Amino acid sequence: MATTKEQYQEKMEKTKDSSLIYDGKIVKLYKDTVILENGKEATREVIKHQKGVSIAIKDTDGKYFVVKQYRYPFKKDMIEFCAGKVEDGEDVDTTALRECEEELGIIPKNLARLGKVIPSCGYCDEELYLYYGEVKEITKQHLDEDE
């Protein structure tokens, strides 16, 4: 159902209580009690996740580079564009450049930020910034231990 600006009204749930349930390397899980607009209480489970980037890099033949990486939640290798998480204090553009060289061994040119997506807004605050670029120079990969 399409929503017009006049029909859209921002809803606010006020946080009454927030408890950190799990503090992991990649995510933090919170269990919050919120007060709804009608005054009733509800529970929200929220995953806090660092921002990430995903980069589509095209070569001179018009083909795109992808990586094959084992993804435990799916118990199989997945084919993906180059991607990674933003380190503390790092801006997303720097992350995109770093991930291209680390995962692909490529220094990109014409790197352009296309926008961002929110992959799982029902329970997670992750923001994923999307990029497009072309191959400027091929160098050497610098993979993490688990890549």
Side-chain angles (χ1 to χ4, degrees):
M1 174 180 173
T3 304
T4 66
K5 189 173 183 179
E6 293 78 30
Q7 293 171 318
Y8 178 78
Q9 158 184 337
E10 183 141 349
K11 308 245 185 247
M12 268 314 262
E13 297 179 351
K14 294 188 174 37
T15 305
K16 178 181 176 183
D17 183 53
S18 182
S19 301
L20 178 62
I21 304 299
Y22 176 75
D23 188 1
K25 179 182 173 187
I26 297 174
V27 300
K28 295 179 187 314
L29 172 61
Y30 290 85
K31 182 178 180 183
D32 293 358
T33 302
V34 299
I35 307 296
L36 304 174
E37 285 185 308
N38 64 9
K40 294 185 179 183
E41 291 186 5
T43 300
R44 301 289 183 250
E45 295 169 343
V46 180
I47 295 174
K48 299 285 185 181
H49 192 290
Q50 286 181 269
K51 295 175 185 174
V53 299
S54 180
I55 312 103
I57 298 290
K58 186 169 73 169
D59 70 11
T60 55
D61 295 329
K63 295 180 182 170
Y64 288 87
F65 287 84
V66 293
V67 295
K68 180 171 81 170
Q69 189 166 346
Y70 180 78
R71 294 299 188 184
Y72 178 79
F74 294 93
K75 305 285 193 273
K76 66 179 184 177
D77 287 331
M78 305 290 279
I79 304 298
E80 310 168 352
F81 284 123
C82 169
K85 68 180 174 103
V86 178
E87 300 296 338
D88 290 334
E90 187 177 49
D91 69 77
V92 293
D93 295 341
T94 300
T95 303
L97 290 168
R98 177 179 53 77
E99 288 294 338
C100 285
E101 189 165 6
E102 284 180 6
E103 287 192 5
L104 300 173
I106 289 174
I107 297 173
K109 65 179 179 180
N110 303 326
L111 192 64
R113 189 186 318 167
L114 304 175
K116 72 176 178 181
V117 295
I118 312 286
S120 302
C121 62
Y123 61 88
C124 185
D125 70 350
E126 180 183 18
E127 298 175 344
L128 184 62
Y129 289 80
L130 305 176
Y131 287 83
Y132 165 82
E134 299 165 351
V135 175
K136 175 181 179 183
E137 179 182 340
I138 296 179
T139 62
K140 184 179 181 212
Q141 290 176 301
H142 306 282
L143 299 174
D144 292 335
E145 286 182 0
D146 60 347
E147 293 182 309

